[in-house]
Amino acid sequence: MTPDEYVDEVLALVERIPPGRVMAYGAIAEYLAERSGRVSARRIGSIMARYGGAVAWHRVVASDGRLVSPSRAEARNLLEREGTPMRAGGVDMPRAAWWPEDG
DNA sequence: GGGGTGACCCAGT
DNA sequence: TACTGGGCCACCC
């Protein structure tokens, strides 16, 4: 799998996250590791920083629900508009966390 | 080759 | 809650 294809895999997965749900960087890394091998949460963050603008970047959050994007204010708006379960400091992960096999 | 950096994560204090 | 240290790995000097 080439680096370009790998980036496509990440973006494609982010696109699959339904409105009102989110995925953590670490969860994305863990899921993709099953098919492509080496992957780290750190690398997902790096890819989102470079190519995230093309997808639903606001549906990707830190593992504890914090919004770590440079534009977290906008992310919060979009998430609330989608009906994402929120709590002080970010997303309510137990209720909002999504995994591909969920749907 | 060597060293700093980052949209991360976990465990310990 | 806040801060620290260690691990992680692609990228860029």
Side-chain angles (χ1 to χ4, degrees):
Chain A
M1 167 175 257
T2 71
D4 284 343
E5 288 173 336
Y6 176 71
V7 169
D8 286 344
E9 288 289 325
V10 174
L11 298 183
L13 178 55
V14 172
E15 285 284 80
R16 289 179 56 194
I17 305 174
R21 309 296 295 279
V22 302
M23 261 188 104
Y25 295 91
I28 293 172
E30 186 181 342
Y31 178 80
L32 289 182
E34 294 174 1
R35 60 167 50 189
S36 62
R38 294 184 213 89
V39 133
S40 72
R42 193 103 203 199
R43 189 160 171 214
I44 302 300
S46 157
I47 288 174
M48 289 307 288
R50 291 164 62 88
Y51 310 98
V55 296
W57 53 271
H58 58 281
R59 295 184 198 144
V60 183
V61 302
S63 65
D64 58 4
R66 280 176 5 253
L67 308 180
V68 293
S69 154
S71 39
R72 42 182 177 288
E74 185 185 355
R76 175 142 202 142
N77 277 335
L78 294 168
L79 290 169
E80 287 178 348
R81 195 162 62 193
E82 292 177 355
T84 310
M86 306 294 286
R87 65 183 310 173
V91 173
D92 186 353
M93 285 308 270
R95 288 197 291 157
W98 179 82
W99 190 261
E101 336 240 306
D102 285 358

